[in-house]
Amino acid sequence: MSLNIDAIRAQFPSLHQEIDGKQAIFLDNPAGTQVPKQVMDAVTDYYMTKNANQGGVFPTSIATDVVQKDARAWMADMICAPKADEIVFGPSMTQLNFNLSRSLAKTIPEDSEIVLTRMDHDANVSPWLTIAEDNDWTVHWVDFDPELGTLDLDSLGAALNEKTQVVAAVHASNALGTINPVKQIAEMAHSVDSLFVMDAVQSAPHVPIDVTEIGCDILLCSAYKFFGPHIGVMWGRYDLLESLPSYKVRPSKDVTPYRWEHGTPSFETLAGVSAAVEYMASLAPEDAPAVNGYEGRQLQLKQAFGELQAYETALATKLIEGLSAINGVTIAGITEMDKMENRVATVIFVKDGHAPIDIVTHLAEQGIYAWSGDYYAVEVMKRLGREENGMVRVGAVHYNTMDELDTLLNVIDAL
């Protein structure tokens, strides 16, 4: 691992602030990461030099068109999409998924069935539950092992049949931290001619993604989870996005990706998306080995994510080992040391005698930012029997340090 963590942290102004007299430690990253200065500069530069609507013949409008085109190209390289025009932007991943589900509902037969998992964030659950309820379709649930924190692929296989139209599953759990075998899930979905809709919100900041290799039909994620601004991203196979009906105003272009983008986009955040992906690409070491099948920016991003994943696996190991050693702490999810590469550094836990909200309140008083509750992973908490109070969630990314984790562990131990 060759990441220079001090140099990385120097690029994030918010990491160095004191709040209420305490040095802030950001372990709330699964809910949204901090932003490097180059992203801030890109947003500011857009407002100062390019601010206009799209499609005009004057310089600022032409520059805005370039901003939009560049954002699609950077995002396509990040997930190894075949075409930049397969990238769709919207206000949030949730809204994009609601739009997608409503469009798919117009093309699905009356007796259709949908498969969901109990590991997913509700943004990849409620859109599908809604159209199933509206159309009286059957919903099958894929379970996960509450002891191991892994998806039960046998229950997925049992749920699939010739009526299955959509399999919606998460790449990395925003609660358990589990990285699911999405390529296998895609193959299972396609074996019954079903679409595979993959939630990559929690995997995008942590692991390399190649939509062609995985075989998903739709990918959804959020830029503010990978060091960018608040905007949602959807990738879809071009033929699929072109063939589905789209709810749009009449004058807007009826061609992908524009037919999926309703109203004027947030151009300043698109500038921020490009800067965020460019930042991640910059983390690739100069002497990184080649990766077969990739070149240019895609190769650079693959190399960078290899570095990120190695360091974050070490962070996850320290979190799991440290919490496991504290009396009264119970962790949900993968805890075996030889399986740390099968999870991201997002960890949920409880401690005997302390309500989760009380723990995160105490952490906040010490300058450590974390979450409690269900973090919209409603079915996860139900399955774990924690739906009333939820659990404490801490999540580390590559700008976090081992010393910060030591501080967290000492505070939890001293409770």
PDB file of all heavy atoms in Angstrom, residues 162-186:
ATOM      1  N   GLU A 162     -39.845 -18.098 -14.164  1.00  0.00           N
ATOM      2  CA  GLU A 162     -40.073 -17.465 -15.474  1.00  0.00           C
ATOM      3  C   GLU A 162     -40.876 -16.175 -15.383  1.00  0.00           C
ATOM      4  O   GLU A 162     -40.907 -15.390 -16.339  1.00  0.00           O
ATOM      5  CB  GLU A 162     -40.778 -18.457 -16.412  1.00  0.00           C
ATOM      6  CG  GLU A 162     -42.219 -18.800 -16.044  1.00  0.00           C
ATOM      7  CD  GLU A 162     -42.314 -19.859 -14.954  1.00  0.00           C
ATOM      8  OE1 GLU A 162     -41.254 -20.329 -14.496  1.00  0.00           O
ATOM      9  OE2 GLU A 162     -43.447 -20.207 -14.567  1.00  0.00           O
ATOM     10  N   LYS A 163     -41.500 -15.919 -14.235  1.00  0.00           N
ATOM     11  CA  LYS A 163     -42.259 -14.683 -14.075  1.00  0.00           C
ATOM     12  C   LYS A 163     -41.423 -13.531 -13.497  1.00  0.00           C
ATOM     13  O   LYS A 163     -41.902 -12.399 -13.457  1.00  0.00           O
ATOM     14  CB  LYS A 163     -43.470 -14.929 -13.166  1.00  0.00           C
ATOM     15  CG  LYS A 163     -44.519 -15.856 -13.749  1.00  0.00           C
ATOM     16  CD  LYS A 163     -45.718 -15.975 -12.817  1.00  0.00           C
ATOM     17  CE  LYS A 163     -46.793 -16.865 -13.418  1.00  0.00           C
ATOM     18  NZ  LYS A 163     -47.984 -16.969 -12.523  1.00  0.00           N
ATOM     19  N   THR A 164     -40.204 -13.836 -13.051  1.00  0.00           N
ATOM     20  CA  THR A 164     -39.355 -12.802 -12.452  1.00  0.00           C
ATOM     21  C   THR A 164     -38.948 -11.784 -13.511  1.00  0.00           C
ATOM     22  O   THR A 164     -38.393 -12.144 -14.553  1.00  0.00           O
ATOM     23  CB  THR A 164     -38.080 -13.419 -11.840  1.00  0.00           C
ATOM     24  OG1 THR A 164     -38.453 -14.461 -10.938  1.00  0.00           O
ATOM     25  CG2 THR A 164     -37.284 -12.353 -11.099  1.00  0.00           C
ATOM     26  N   GLN A 165     -39.206 -10.513 -13.225  1.00  0.00           N
ATOM     27  CA  GLN A 165     -38.879  -9.442 -14.162  1.00  0.00           C
ATOM     28  C   GLN A 165     -37.724  -8.567 -13.674  1.00  0.00           C
ATOM     29  O   GLN A 165     -36.978  -8.030 -14.477  1.00  0.00           O
ATOM     30  CB  GLN A 165     -40.111  -8.560 -14.396  1.00  0.00           C
ATOM     31  CG  GLN A 165     -41.286  -9.276 -15.007  1.00  0.00           C
ATOM     32  CD  GLN A 165     -41.011  -9.764 -16.417  1.00  0.00           C
ATOM     33  OE1 GLN A 165     -40.362  -9.079 -17.199  1.00  0.00           O
ATOM     34  NE2 GLN A 165     -41.487 -10.960 -16.745  1.00  0.00           N
ATOM     35  N   VAL A 166     -37.597  -8.427 -12.359  1.00  0.00           N
ATOM     36  CA  VAL A 166     -36.563  -7.564 -11.790  1.00  0.00           C
ATOM     37  C   VAL A 166     -35.953  -8.248 -10.569  1.00  0.00           C
ATOM     38  O   VAL A 166     -36.686  -8.754  -9.715  1.00  0.00           O
ATOM     39  CB  VAL A 166     -37.122  -6.187 -11.367  1.00  0.00           C
ATOM     40  CG1 VAL A 166     -36.052  -5.364 -10.644  1.00  0.00           C
ATOM     41  CG2 VAL A 166     -37.657  -5.421 -12.567  1.00  0.00           C
ATOM     42  N   VAL A 167     -34.626  -8.272 -10.518  1.00  0.00           N
ATOM     43  CA  VAL A 167     -33.895  -8.618  -9.297  1.00  0.00           C
ATOM     44  C   VAL A 167     -33.150  -7.350  -8.876  1.00  0.00           C
ATOM     45  O   VAL A 167     -32.312  -6.837  -9.620  1.00  0.00           O
ATOM     46  CB  VAL A 167     -32.896  -9.764  -9.524  1.00  0.00           C
ATOM     47  CG1 VAL A 167     -32.054  -9.992  -8.264  1.00  0.00           C
ATOM     48  CG2 VAL A 167     -33.630 -11.046  -9.919  1.00  0.00           C
ATOM     49  N   ALA A 168     -33.488  -6.829  -7.691  1.00  0.00           N
ATOM     50  CA  ALA A 168     -32.846  -5.625  -7.171  1.00  0.00           C
ATOM     51  C   ALA A 168     -31.978  -6.035  -5.987  1.00  0.00           C
ATOM     52  O   ALA A 168     -32.488  -6.589  -5.007  1.00  0.00           O
ATOM     53  CB  ALA A 168     -33.885  -4.595  -6.753  1.00  0.00           C
ATOM     54  N   ALA A 169     -30.686  -5.777  -6.075  1.00  0.00           N
ATOM     55  CA  ALA A 169     -29.774  -6.209  -5.010  1.00  0.00           C
ATOM     56  C   ALA A 169     -28.643  -5.203  -4.858  1.00  0.00           C
ATOM     57  O   ALA A 169     -28.260  -4.509  -5.799  1.00  0.00           O
ATOM     58  CB  ALA A 169     -29.214  -7.599  -5.303  1.00  0.00           C
ATOM     59  N   VAL A 170     -28.084  -5.181  -3.654  1.00  0.00           N
ATOM     60  CA  VAL A 170     -27.041  -4.225  -3.315  1.00  0.00           C
ATOM     61  C   VAL A 170     -25.659  -4.818  -3.551  1.00  0.00           C
ATOM     62  O   VAL A 170     -25.451  -6.020  -3.346  1.00  0.00           O
ATOM     63  CB  VAL A 170     -27.200  -3.773  -1.844  1.00  0.00           C
ATOM     64  CG1 VAL A 170     -26.926  -4.931  -0.885  1.00  0.00           C
ATOM     65  CG2 VAL A 170     -26.318  -2.598  -1.512  1.00  0.00           C
ATOM     66  N   HIS A 171     -24.731  -3.991  -4.003  1.00  0.00           N
ATOM     67  CA  HIS A 171     -23.354  -4.438  -4.198  1.00  0.00           C
ATOM     68  C   HIS A 171     -22.640  -4.539  -2.854  1.00  0.00           C
ATOM     69  O   HIS A 171     -22.081  -5.578  -2.525  1.00  0.00           O
ATOM     70  CB  HIS A 171     -22.623  -3.454  -5.130  1.00  0.00           C
ATOM     71  CG  HIS A 171     -21.288  -3.935  -5.588  1.00  0.00           C
ATOM     72  ND1 HIS A 171     -20.448  -3.171  -6.375  1.00  0.00           N
ATOM     73  CD2 HIS A 171     -20.608  -5.102  -5.371  1.00  0.00           C
ATOM     74  CE1 HIS A 171     -19.339  -3.852  -6.620  1.00  0.00           C
ATOM     75  NE2 HIS A 171     -19.408  -5.018  -6.028  1.00  0.00           N
ATOM     76  N   ALA A 172     -22.663  -3.453  -2.072  1.00  0.00           N
ATOM     77  CA  ALA A 172     -22.094  -3.466  -0.723  1.00  0.00           C
ATOM     78  C   ALA A 172     -23.123  -2.893   0.237  1.00  0.00           C
ATOM     79  O   ALA A 172     -23.679  -1.814  -0.002  1.00  0.00           O
ATOM     80  CB  ALA A 172     -20.799  -2.661  -0.666  1.00  0.00           C
ATOM     81  N   SER A 173     -23.368  -3.601   1.324  1.00  0.00           N
ATOM     82  CA  SER A 173     -24.399  -3.197   2.278  1.00  0.00           C
ATOM     83  C   SER A 173     -23.992  -1.935   3.027  1.00  0.00           C
ATOM     84  O   SER A 173     -22.862  -1.832   3.532  1.00  0.00           O
ATOM     85  CB  SER A 173     -24.660  -4.323   3.275  1.00  0.00           C
ATOM     86  OG  SER A 173     -25.466  -3.867   4.351  1.00  0.00           O
ATOM     87  N   ASN A 174     -24.920  -0.976   3.132  1.00  0.00           N
ATOM     88  CA  ASN A 174     -24.638   0.259   3.873  1.00  0.00           C
ATOM     89  C   ASN A 174     -24.729   0.042   5.381  1.00  0.00           C
ATOM     90  O   ASN A 174     -24.409   0.945   6.152  1.00  0.00           O
ATOM     91  CB  ASN A 174     -25.594   1.374   3.453  1.00  0.00           C
ATOM     92  CG  ASN A 174     -26.980   1.233   4.073  1.00  0.00           C
ATOM     93  OD1 ASN A 174     -27.576   0.154   4.039  1.00  0.00           O
ATOM     94  ND2 ASN A 174     -27.504   2.316   4.624  1.00  0.00           N
ATOM     95  N   ALA A 175     -25.143  -1.150   5.807  1.00  0.00           N
ATOM     96  CA  ALA A 175     -25.217  -1.468   7.235  1.00  0.00           C
ATOM     97  C   ALA A 175     -24.177  -2.531   7.583  1.00  0.00           C
ATOM     98  O   ALA A 175     -23.242  -2.277   8.339  1.00  0.00           O
ATOM     99  CB  ALA A 175     -26.618  -1.949   7.603  1.00  0.00           C
ATOM    100  N   LEU A 176     -24.316  -3.713   7.019  1.00  0.00           N
ATOM    101  CA  LEU A 176     -23.432  -4.834   7.351  1.00  0.00           C
ATOM    102  C   LEU A 176     -22.030  -4.685   6.762  1.00  0.00           C
ATOM    103  O   LEU A 176     -21.090  -5.297   7.249  1.00  0.00           O
ATOM    104  CB  LEU A 176     -24.046  -6.141   6.853  1.00  0.00           C
ATOM    105  CG  LEU A 176     -25.382  -6.528   7.486  1.00  0.00           C
ATOM    106  CD1 LEU A 176     -26.068  -7.584   6.639  1.00  0.00           C
ATOM    107  CD2 LEU A 176     -25.190  -7.007   8.905  1.00  0.00           C
ATOM    108  N   GLY A 177     -21.911  -3.896   5.696  1.00  0.00           N
ATOM    109  CA  GLY A 177     -20.619  -3.736   5.049  1.00  0.00           C
ATOM    110  C   GLY A 177     -20.268  -4.838   4.069  1.00  0.00           C
ATOM    111  O   GLY A 177     -19.235  -4.775   3.397  1.00  0.00           O
ATOM    112  N   THR A 178     -21.105  -5.854   3.955  1.00  0.00           N
ATOM    113  CA  THR A 178     -20.840  -7.011   3.100  1.00  0.00           C
ATOM    114  C   THR A 178     -20.757  -6.618   1.635  1.00  0.00           C
ATOM    115  O   THR A 178     -21.600  -5.874   1.133  1.00  0.00           O
ATOM    116  CB  THR A 178     -21.956  -8.055   3.264  1.00  0.00           C
ATOM    117  OG1 THR A 178     -22.102  -8.372   4.645  1.00  0.00           O
ATOM    118  CG2 THR A 178     -21.656  -9.308   2.465  1.00  0.00           C
ATOM    119  N   ILE A 179     -19.743  -7.132   0.937  1.00  0.00           N
ATOM    120  CA  ILE A 179     -19.654  -7.012  -0.517  1.00  0.00           C
ATOM    121  C   ILE A 179     -20.251  -8.270  -1.121  1.00  0.00           C
ATOM    122  O   ILE A 179     -19.747  -9.376  -0.901  1.00  0.00           O
ATOM    123  CB  ILE A 179     -18.201  -6.831  -0.981  1.00  0.00           C
ATOM    124  CG1 ILE A 179     -17.583  -5.575  -0.355  1.00  0.00           C
ATOM    125  CG2 ILE A 179     -18.133  -6.753  -2.504  1.00  0.00           C
ATOM    126  CD1 ILE A 179     -16.100  -5.419  -0.635  1.00  0.00           C
ATOM    127  N   ASN A 180     -21.327  -8.113  -1.859  1.00  0.00           N
ATOM    128  CA  ASN A 180     -22.037  -9.272  -2.399  1.00  0.00           C
ATOM    129  C   ASN A 180     -21.431  -9.753  -3.718  1.00  0.00           C
ATOM    130  O   ASN A 180     -20.826  -8.965  -4.465  1.00  0.00           O
ATOM    131  CB  ASN A 180     -23.514  -8.924  -2.626  1.00  0.00           C
ATOM    132  CG  ASN A 180     -24.291  -8.904  -1.320  1.00  0.00           C
ATOM    133  OD1 ASN A 180     -24.087  -9.747  -0.452  1.00  0.00           O
ATOM    134  ND2 ASN A 180     -25.174  -7.933  -1.167  1.00  0.00           N
ATOM    135  N   PRO A 181     -21.606 -11.029  -4.057  1.00  0.00           N
ATOM    136  CA  PRO A 181     -21.101 -11.583  -5.319  1.00  0.00           C
ATOM    137  C   PRO A 181     -22.012 -11.188  -6.479  1.00  0.00           C
ATOM    138  O   PRO A 181     -22.792 -11.998  -6.990  1.00  0.00           O
ATOM    139  CB  PRO A 181     -21.130 -13.096  -5.058  1.00  0.00           C
ATOM    140  CG  PRO A 181     -22.253 -13.291  -4.088  1.00  0.00           C
ATOM    141  CD  PRO A 181     -22.244 -12.073  -3.210  1.00  0.00           C
ATOM    142  N   VAL A 182     -21.910  -9.944  -6.898  1.00  0.00           N
ATOM    143  CA  VAL A 182     -22.895  -9.380  -7.834  1.00  0.00           C
ATOM    144  C   VAL A 182     -22.807 -10.002  -9.226  1.00  0.00           C
ATOM    145  O   VAL A 182     -23.813 -10.063  -9.940  1.00  0.00           O
ATOM    146  CB  VAL A 182     -22.772  -7.844  -7.905  1.00  0.00           C
ATOM    147  CG1 VAL A 182     -23.345  -7.202  -6.643  1.00  0.00           C
ATOM    148  CG2 VAL A 182     -21.334  -7.399  -8.116  1.00  0.00           C
ATOM    149  N   LYS A 183     -21.621 -10.446  -9.618  1.00  0.00           N
ATOM    150  CA  LYS A 183     -21.529 -11.116 -10.920  1.00  0.00           C
ATOM    151  C   LYS A 183     -22.358 -12.393 -10.912  1.00  0.00           C
ATOM    152  O   LYS A 183     -23.079 -12.686 -11.885  1.00  0.00           O
ATOM    153  CB  LYS A 183     -20.072 -11.428 -11.252  1.00  0.00           C
ATOM    154  CG  LYS A 183     -19.880 -12.041 -12.630  1.00  0.00           C
ATOM    155  CD  LYS A 183     -18.403 -12.223 -12.969  1.00  0.00           C
ATOM    156  CE  LYS A 183     -18.235 -12.797 -14.367  1.00  0.00           C
ATOM    157  NZ  LYS A 183     -16.790 -12.960 -14.726  1.00  0.00           N
ATOM    158  N   GLN A 184     -22.305 -13.131  -9.831  1.00  0.00           N
ATOM    159  CA  GLN A 184     -23.109 -14.346  -9.711  1.00  0.00           C
ATOM    160  C   GLN A 184     -24.596 -13.999  -9.653  1.00  0.00           C
ATOM    161  O   GLN A 184     -25.431 -14.700 -10.249  1.00  0.00           O
ATOM    162  CB  GLN A 184     -22.705 -15.131  -8.464  1.00  0.00           C
ATOM    163  CG  GLN A 184     -23.418 -16.455  -8.304  1.00  0.00           C
ATOM    164  CD  GLN A 184     -22.946 -17.232  -7.082  1.00  0.00           C
ATOM    165  OE1 GLN A 184     -21.992 -16.835  -6.406  1.00  0.00           O
ATOM    166  NE2 GLN A 184     -23.613 -18.333  -6.774  1.00  0.00           N
ATOM    167  N   ILE A 185     -24.932 -12.941  -8.954  1.00  0.00           N
ATOM    168  CA  ILE A 185     -26.338 -12.510  -8.890  1.00  0.00           C
ATOM    169  C   ILE A 185     -26.847 -12.136 -10.270  1.00  0.00           C
ATOM    170  O   ILE A 185     -27.968 -12.491 -10.657  1.00  0.00           O
ATOM    171  CB  ILE A 185     -26.498 -11.336  -7.910  1.00  0.00           C
ATOM    172  CG1 ILE A 185     -26.191 -11.792  -6.482  1.00  0.00           C
ATOM    173  CG2 ILE A 185     -27.910 -10.745  -7.979  1.00  0.00           C
ATOM    174  CD1 ILE A 185     -26.121 -10.665  -5.474  1.00  0.00           C
ATOM    175  N   ALA A 186     -26.007 -11.438 -11.049  1.00  0.00           N
ATOM    176  CA  ALA A 186     -26.401 -11.074 -12.409  1.00  0.00           C
ATOM    177  C   ALA A 186     -26.651 -12.315 -13.263  1.00  0.00           C
ATOM    178  O   ALA A 186     -27.638 -12.384 -14.011  1.00  0.00           O
ATOM    179  CB  ALA A 186     -25.317 -10.205 -13.047  1.00  0.00           C
TER     180      ALA A 186
END
